Amino acid sequence: MGHVDHGKTTLLDQLRKTQVAAMEAGGITQHIGAFSVHLSSGNRITFLDTPGHAAFSAIRERGANVTNIVILVVAADDGVMKQTVESIKHAKNANVPIILAINKCDKPEADPERVKRELLSHDIVCEEFGGDIQSINISALKGENLQALSEAIVTLAEVMELKADPAGLVEGTVIECRTDKGKGPVTTAIVQRGTLRKGAVLVAGRAWGKVRLMFDENNTMLSEVGPSMPVEIVGWKDLPSAGDEILEVESEQRAREVVDWRTDVEEEERIQKDLEVISAKQHEHREAHRKTLDTFYGMNWKQKNSALYKTSRHLIPQRTSERITDDNPTVPLIVKGDVDGSVEAILNVIDTYNAEEECELNLVHFGIGDISESDIVLAETFNGSVYGFNVNANKTVQQLAAKKNIPIKLHKIIYHLVEDLKEELNSKLTPIT
Ligand code: GDP
């Protein structure tokens, strides 16, 4: 991680190049979001090639901790910058230790000591200042001192005693996803536990798959992938998301059950959240509206009601004998008007409706302007009607309403609108016997 232009991409390219050279593969390295470097000591380091906070945060937000160590890249000629500080914050929040790579040390104006001093004020204390942060001066461009950087990583990993169990069901994390023309949905993943083999059934987020093929970053086919190895997995039925946790399950049947269950729960949560937002917004609007009116007229709501809107009739429902009934009669409604004044007038009439009445009147939403598709969608959610005063509903809106069976009631006289609403309320009351 580090500030833009401080050399992250160059460093990763250089590390990757050394690797290709070391393997004498000479082939084309493809970008799969993660790659491994084999050291002469026999150790192997996996670099997550996802520079940029967004990817890191997205993975972190889902609770996955794929990163064991953060390499903080700071250019020696530029020093600590805004994103350097942000990177430090991210690493600290994630509780991941940092190794400092002071880059561009080949430049004549490079001043690594200044970088270390600047970092002190961000709680990054290098070993020479008595702290525990290892600091390596490198030149990513020239490939200088990368060996020392790798050794620093291995040393820290040993101190941290990073270990994983290669036995048991596989656990891992999705790093990147893409749809390949030939292979279909493909993910780059890091195995964190267990050993992944062909034929394994995996679940990630709301997707599942059966491992058909596995590749490394050099497009070499793999038959087994152990902990901390990056792998490209082919065989997904759908595309999971970056940061999703991968779990191996015992059968395809089980995988389907897990995905179905997750889909249902997510849908339920989404609907619940939407409804909460809608009702909070209505409350806010209504409160704001009342406040404006109160200050404007300087009198209380009911007084104003009778003083200013004598023309509008009060809503007094009447029982008749031939109406259909309902156990919990409610009239949910949305009111749209051409100007503030007309909407206010209608709301005032609605306000006179006695909440004790047998049929509840639920003003779901009100606003100014023509009736929109979102009004219809909202009405559908509440099974209500849309009342418009001096406004229109275009063809698309009308068609949507017809399709969803939502009545749109357009009026040009408030009195008529009120009569119409009364009619709707009356229709829900228990008939007189
Ligand atoms: P990133 O935005 O952090 O990924 O930075 P890049 O890797 O794209 O590097 C930004 C610029 O700095 C490029 O022009 C690189 O060639 C240059 N650069 C990167 N590392 C070094 C280095 O070690 N020395 C010098 N002189 N230039 C470097």
Side-chain angles (χ1 to χ4, degrees), residues 340-384:
D340 254 332
S342 60
V343 177
E344 276 167 30
I346 297 161
L347 294 185
N348 287 338
V349 178
I350 290 173
D351 233 55
T352 63
Y353 186 72
N354 187 351
E356 318 268 286
E357 284 291 346
E358 191 186 334
C359 176
E360 201 187 316
L361 185 57
N362 177 17
L363 180 64
V364 172
H365 170 70
F366 61 89
I368 297 155
D370 283 344
I371 292 160
S372 66
E373 287 177 54
S374 68
D375 292 329
I376 305 299
V377 174
L378 193 59
E380 189 196 15
T381 313
F382 288 89
N383 197 19

Side-chain angles (χ1 to χ4, degrees), residues 3-10 103-104 106-107 139-141:
H3 195 71
V4 65
D5 276 349
H6 278 199
K8 297 177 294 289
T9 314
T10 311
N103 191 31
K104 305 199 185 181
D106 58 290
K107 284 191 155 186
S139 165
L141 192 67

Side-chain angles (χ1 to χ4, degrees), residues 144 178 232 294:
E144 279 166 16
R178 65 191 170 89
E232 196 181 69
D294 286 350

Side-chain angles (χ1 to χ4, degrees), residues 74-104:
V74 186
D77 57 339
D78 214 11
V80 173
M81 304 296 279
K82 191 166 164 266
Q83 283 165 285
T84 315
V85 178
E86 277 171 22
S87 306
I88 296 170
K89 262 193 223 144
H90 279 279
K92 289 206 162 153
N93 285 344
N95 216 3
V96 178
I98 289 173
I99 289 178
L100 179 62
I102 304 185
N103 191 31
K104 305 199 185 181

Side-chain angles (χ1 to χ4, degrees), residues 7-23:
K8 297 177 294 289
T9 314
T10 311
L11 175 60
L12 287 165
D13 283 350
Q14 197 63 253
L15 287 162
R16 199 188 275 114
K17 238 196 276 169
T18 1
Q19 184 52 21
V20 174
M23 288 171 65

Side-chain angles (χ1 to χ4, degrees), residues 299-312:
M299 53 181 135
N300 88 28
W301 189 249
K302 294 279 176 203
Q303 272 175 342
K304 175 182 60 58
N305 198 28
S306 50
L308 290 164
Y309 297 104
K310 282 205 178 104
T311 48
S312 338

